[in-house]
Amino acid sequence: MLLITVLAILSAATGAVALASSTGTLNAPPPVTDQEQGMVSGALFQDPPDMAMAAGANGGLTVTLDTHDTQFDLAGKTAKGQSYNGSYVAPTISFNPGANVDVRVVNHLPVATNVHFHGLHIDPMSHSDDDFLCIAPGDTYTYHLVIPADHPQGTYWYHSHAMGTMCPGGVTGPINGVAGSSGMAMSGDVENQIFAGLSGALIVGDDRTLLPAAYQHVIAHTFVLKDVQIDANGAIVQNTATSKIDSNAPTVRLVNGQLRPIVGMQPNETQLWRLINAGADIFYRLRLDGYTFTVVGEDGVPVAGATTVDTLLLPPAKRYDVLVTANGTPGTAWLRTTAYSNGPQGDQYPDTTLAQLDVYGDAVNRLPTLTGGVRTAPASLADAKIAQQRTVDLSESPDGLSFFINGKQFDPTTSVFPDPAKLGTVEEWTILNESGEDHPFHLHTSAFQEMSVNGTAVPYTHMQDVVPVPHAVSGVPGKVVIRIPIEDYPGQWMFHCHIGAHEDNGMMSFLNVVR
């Protein structure tokens, strides 16, 4: 442990990225990119800051998110962006199932904003997770979140879901009664605000308590994955009249705002890693060299069957809760996102190191291999009665600037589906992708079950709220079939591609749910 501390001090002083394990074996550092110039790598891993939550008079919890322009220190490099409470990686919000949580959003930005509590199964309307709300510059709005007592325990996140830069009439309130001349209410601002810094982790309960007793006290770490591009003026790149976010451009991949931090473990130790892609646009395909991940939760929901894999694909908004067990002898390994293409019309990402695992010290007793399901995992919908089938057709213009669902761009006054869904039913949706790039499909309010991909059945192990829909090949659309439980909450359930640029430019709609 002393060696790691000394390395961290040297790294902070010199900007060096070379690392050594307690064996003294050097692990060659990757070359420093142009975007990383001035940044310092190799600091000890730090979890995101925790949000201080106050208990209200009624026994509920209250948290304030102060949204404002901010100058960050990103791994030793100054950058201007936007923050919740001054932190590039927003403070982690944690509460238990059954909680009542008031989230007070104070908007000090020069533009409108709002907050989406991504993945939570809560009321999509009624001052709750209502993404049709617009909080005007200078205004304050309080969300009231009533968390069900049986809400799944796991990893979620929160982020801006701003429909535009200004509220209709400049007044805080709903926008779903206002449509612009193009059919959209206004040009969305989700990509700008998430990319500038407005996203963070949200943890419901503690899914370690759902595991066998031997796992319930393992160390848990939260990995918030975000990328950053800094322009010549020291600002995080934004979409403006003179600049544009380019998700295919060179970018710096940060973990909790750190550049290639060191994660320490003892030989044979098991930890729970909560992995969140909290960025605006890009994919991660994670590997830990020489290791595997045992998945115990996906998109906040405990799995019905634990799986052990060597690679995890995280499109924007994806989360995994995984167990990682260190090798039995000291050594180092890189956590990396491997080279990946999300389609010929999309982005091509290089292999990039994210964090260093350093196994050191005395060995501990190795925990038994985890198999089977995790307590409270939902049952399969394979035998459910299907009340309605729908088709979601994703497409985009040849220039990649306009995006569509069923041939239409987002209109806050009208769903692409004329028929509503009814509470207490299960629907089956076929999602088609006509374009040359993968689209991560996200549904608000409810998780869903993936039934098949391109005609191949998917065995049931988990529910999820984000699924990548493969791109078209030789004119044949990619296809994913999902089943959705329509439960508990009437209102407007949004769905969209979770690449920020795509939802901002039309690839979004909503489902009307009625009793």
Side-chain angles (χ1 to χ4, degrees):
M1 184 65 186
L2 177 60
L3 177 58
I4 296 177
T5 303
V6 171
L7 285 170
I9 294 171
L10 289 173
S11 178
T14 67
V17 293
L19 302 172
S21 75
S22 54
T23 63
T25 303
L26 288 177
N27 195 335
V32 176
T33 67
D34 290 342
Q35 281 278 316
E36 292 172 359
Q37 292 292 338
M39 291 186 171
V40 176
S41 67
L44 294 181
F45 175 93
Q46 294 184 341
D47 285 283
D50 288 326
M51 176 70 72
M53 303 184 72
N58 62 357
L61 299 170
T62 301
V63 60
T64 296
L65 296 177
D66 195 337
T67 310
H68 53 90
D69 290 334
T70 306
Q71 183 165 290
F72 303 115
D73 180 341
L74 294 180
K77 187 172 184 176
T78 299
K80 292 173 283 189
Q82 297 172 347
S83 76
Y84 297 119
N85 297 10
S87 176
Y88 172 68
V89 175
T92 299
I93 299 176
S94 302
F95 48 75
N96 289 323
N100 290 322
V101 185
D102 284 351
V103 181
R104 180 174 174 265
V105 180
V106 184
N107 185 12
H108 292 298
L109 297 174
V111 295
T113 193
N114 68 9
V115 179
H116 172 43
F117 305 95
H118 183 116
L120 293 188
H121 181 59
I122 56 177
D123 192 340
M125 313 297 286
S126 305
H127 303 283
S128 187
D129 191 26
D130 185 353
D131 293 301
F132 289 94
L133 283 170
C134 182
I135 306 174
D139 278 3
T140 297
Y141 185 86
T142 299
Y143 292 89
H144 305 288
L145 312 183
V146 179
I147 311 302
D150 60 351
H151 195 286
Q153 298 185 62
T155 302
Y156 302 84
W157 67 302
Y158 65 100
H159 59 85
S160 167
H161 208 292
M163 299 291 195
T165 57
M166 297 302 294
C167 299
V171 178
T172 294
I175 68 163
N176 49 328
V178 180
S181 59
S182 67
M184 295 181 65
M186 56 202 78
S187 178
D189 209 34
V190 174
E191 184 185 31
N192 264 352
Q193 294 192 13
I194 292 179
F195 201 60
L198 294 182
S199 65
L202 193 160
I203 309 297
V204 177
D206 184 347
D207 52 352
R208 289 175 296 182
T209 64
L210 308 177
L211 302 176
Y215 291 90
Q216 292 185 7
H217 299 288
V218 301
I219 289 172
H221 285 309
T222 300
F223 291 67
V224 177
L225 308 177
K226 301 170 76 167
D227 71 299
V228 65
Q229 299 170 21
I230 302 173
D231 67 20
N233 297 316
I236 296 174
V237 175
Q238 295 281 270
N239 296 313
T240 69
T242 58
S243 64
K244 185 180 187 302
I245 299 170
D246 179 1
S247 59
N248 200 37
T251 192
V252 181
R253 308 253 192 161
L254 299 173
V255 178
N256 299 341
Q258 297 178 280
L259 181 64
R260 293 188 287 276
I262 303 171
V263 183
M265 294 180 73
Q266 291 178 260
N268 292 328
E269 180 187 0
T270 296
Q271 294 184 356
L272 178 73
W273 290 5
R274 295 171 171 142
L275 306 168
I276 307 170
N277 183 350
D281 300 295
I282 72 175
F283 288 61
Y284 290 75
R285 186 167 66 175
L286 298 183
R287 291 181 65 93
L288 181 60
D289 295 342
Y291 283 83
T292 57
F293 306 103
T294 297
V295 179
V296 296
E298 182 169 345
D299 290 347
V301 184
V303 300
T307 54
T308 298
V309 298
D310 58 15
T311 303
L312 292 169
L313 180 64
L314 279 74
K318 195 71 178 174
R319 293 95 61 214
Y320 284 102
D321 286 17
V322 300
L323 296 172
V324 175
T325 299
N327 289 334
T329 56
T332 62
W334 283 112
L335 175 67
R336 68 178 67 245
T337 179
T338 61
Y340 183 71
S341 168
N342 68 343
Q345 196 177 355
D347 295 342
Q348 320 304 314
Y349 306 121
D351 187 291
T352 305
T353 52
L354 300 175
Q356 177 87 34
L357 174 64
D358 195 354
V359 179
Y360 63 91
D362 296 330
V364 298
N365 292 329
R366 195 175 187 89
L367 297 181
T369 301
L370 183 72
T371 59
V374 176
R375 276 195 311 115
T376 72
S380 172
L381 299 175
D383 296 326
K385 179 182 178 181
I386 304 304
Q388 191 159 195
Q389 294 180 316
R390 304 179 193 266
T391 298
V392 177
D393 194 338
L394 309 176
S395 63
E396 60 186 271
S397 60
D399 62 7
L401 299 178
S402 299
F403 300 85
F404 309 90
I405 295 180
N406 294 358
K408 301 176 181 178
Q409 291 193 294
F410 174 60
D411 181 343
T413 68
T414 306
S415 169
V416 296
F417 296 132
D419 299 323
K422 292 187 177 180
L423 287 179
T425 66
V426 174
E427 295 199 350
E428 184 174 89
W429 291 16
T430 297
I431 309 168
L432 301 176
N433 183 358
E434 307 275 358
S435 76
E437 62 180 313
D438 300 347
H439 292 292
F441 174 86
H442 169 52
L443 174 69
H444 291 210
T445 311
S446 178
F448 50 78
Q449 181 175 336
E450 183 183 38
M451 306 303 296
S452 65
V453 178
N454 286 342
T456 300
V458 176
Y460 176 63
T461 59
H462 61 276
M463 301 282 278
Q464 60 199 96
D465 62 53
V466 177
V467 63
V469 185
H471 59 272
V473 176
S474 300
V476 178
K479 182 170 73 172
V480 171
V481 177
I482 65 174
R483 290 187 177 180
I484 306 165
I486 310 295
E487 297 176 336
D488 300 321
Y489 302 112
Q492 295 168 318
W493 294 19
M494 297 190 73
F495 56 90
H496 55 84
C497 173
H498 218 293
I499 294 174
H502 297 183
E503 65 175 287
D504 277 347
N505 290 287
M507 195 174 277
M508 180 162 59
S509 190
F510 60 91
L511 175 70
N512 285 309
V513 176
V514 298
R515 296 188 183 279

